[in-house]
Amino acid sequence: MAVGVFDSGLGGLTVLDAVSRKLPDVPFVYFGDNAHAPYGVRTHDDIFNLTCAATERLWDEGCDLVILACNTASAAALKRIQETWLPPNKRVLGVFVPLIEALTERQWGDNSPPREVSVKHVALFATPATVASRAFQRELAFRAIGVDVEAQPCGGVVDAIEQGDEILAEALVRSHVESLKRRMPQPQAAILGCTHYPLMQKAFQESLGADVKVFSQANLVAESLGDYLARRPEFLGSGTRSKFLTTGDPAYVSSKATQFLRRQIVFEAA
Ligand code: DGL
């Protein structure tokens, strides 16, 4: 009864931790496409093809339901996957909608017309591909009116994290926050719209200031997966064992994952 969790690299581990805490009896198979990270500078076609290949590999592990714990893949490829590629007995879910429902104070599946919400000025931090897709603004516009979103493409952060360079990642986060604040001096809320960024949450929160509410996806996705599986238990696949797969060098990826997650994680070759 396994579920697949996919990311371009290490970032999805932040989601994996939260879903495993929420659903301790479910085996999760993690797939990190570290050999091809970062996705945030790739074309949409490229992201679509890589995401489909990873998803098929997770099906082979008995995961009929795959979570794209990657905003870039969710923004650039999920709609095309669902509309043109997915067989009826499989599901692929993204990480955007739970976050936007939380920001716009909605329950799951509330499709009522857009309305005013309490947050008016929102800073969005995401990869260049996610920002360019405008997927976040689109999903938000379905649910809320009058929200001013300022988006900052955070070039270099995913790369620095994948290379284990925490000092560079932190310096880049501070400079991206400063650059956003020149355009929006007082955001009320900030969205970490890349699953790698919670690994740098402290740097984001410190640079933004304590009065800015920082939304990150891990716990929101875990809640929503719990709800989904309660409604659709047939999508718990046949896999029985949790494991970590990577297209990168398993020893290298294991050591970086262990460094960032601060617990031992052992990857095997995908
Ligand atoms: N964790 C991915 C995301 O949420 C990073 C994408 C990348 O590889 O650039 O967007």
Side-chain angles (χ1 to χ4, degrees):
M1 54 171 206
V3 171
V5 178
F6 159 76
D7 183 39
S8 60
L10 300 174
L13 293 170
T14 59
V15 173
L16 179 89
D17 265 1
V19 292
S20 325
R21 261 197 315 274
K22 168 86 189 165
L23 302 163
D25 298 331
V26 175
F28 287 96
V29 181
Y30 187 83
F31 184 106
D33 193 8
N34 303 76
H36 302 110
Y39 277 18
V41 290
R42 291 178 178 274
T43 63
H44 284 202
D45 275 351
D46 220 1
I47 296 168
F48 173 80
N49 291 330
L50 290 168
T51 306
C52 291
T55 302
E56 279 180 329
R57 180 69 186 81
L58 285 165
W59 291 344
D60 294 344
E61 292 292 328
C63 302
D64 293 341
L65 168 64
V66 173
I67 310 293
L68 300 187
C70 176
N71 290 270
T72 308
S74 303
L78 180 59
K79 197 159 176 288
R80 184 166 161 199
I81 286 176
Q82 288 172 335
E83 288 176 2
T84 67
W85 183 75
L86 201 61
N89 60 340
K90 309 282 188 211
R91 285 290 181 276
V92 175
L93 303 176
V95 282
F96 257 61
V97 169
L99 180 74
I100 291 176
E101 285 175 343
L103 184 77
T104 56
E105 306 148 19
R106 281 182 185 239
Q107 299 299 321
W108 185 87
D110 171 356
N111 291 326
S112 58
R115 54 178 179 257
E116 277 205 43
V117 293
S118 54
V119 198
K120 303 283 183 221
H121 303 286
V122 177
L124 168 67
F125 298 94
T127 66
T130 300
V131 171
S133 76
R134 300 185 61 80
F136 176 85
Q137 286 92 328
R138 204 169 44 242
E139 292 294 338
L140 186 66
F142 289 137
R143 297 170 176 83
I145 45 176
V147 183
D148 179 20
V149 178
E150 193 61 57
Q152 175 67 30
C154 297
V157 177
V158 168
D159 243 338
I161 292 174
E162 288 291 314
Q163 284 160 22
D165 193 339
E166 289 184 62
I167 294 173
L168 175 60
E170 196 176 316
L172 287 169
V173 165
R174 291 186 193 285
S175 114
H176 286 305
V177 171
E178 282 320 308
S179 139
L180 179 125
K181 278 172 130 183
R182 282 197 285 278
R183 305 190 309 274
M184 180 182 271
Q186 283 175 326
Q188 290 165 294
I191 303 286
L192 302 190
C194 166
T195 52
H196 280 68
Y197 300 170
L199 298 169
M200 291 290 126
Q201 178 127 3
K202 194 161 162 278
F204 274 104
Q205 187 75 68
E206 280 174 8
S207 323
L208 284 159
D211 51 335
V212 178
K213 182 167 170 48
V214 176
F215 286 83
S216 68
Q217 288 160 319
N219 291 330
L220 300 170
V221 171
E223 283 301 319
S224 117
L225 177 62
D227 280 1
Y228 188 85
L229 289 174
R231 283 179 286 110
R232 306 300 303 267
E234 68 274 25
F235 286 111
L236 279 166
S238 60
T240 53
R241 191 166 79 79
S242 292
K243 56 171 101 162
F244 296 87
L245 302 172
T246 177
T247 53
D249 168 20
Y252 178 85
V253 174
S254 301
S255 90
K256 298 304 165 206
T258 301
Q259 172 191 344
F260 277 105
L261 274 293
R262 294 179 169 79
R263 66 182 174 88
Q264 206 196 5
I265 295 180
V266 180
F267 275 84
E268 38 191 288

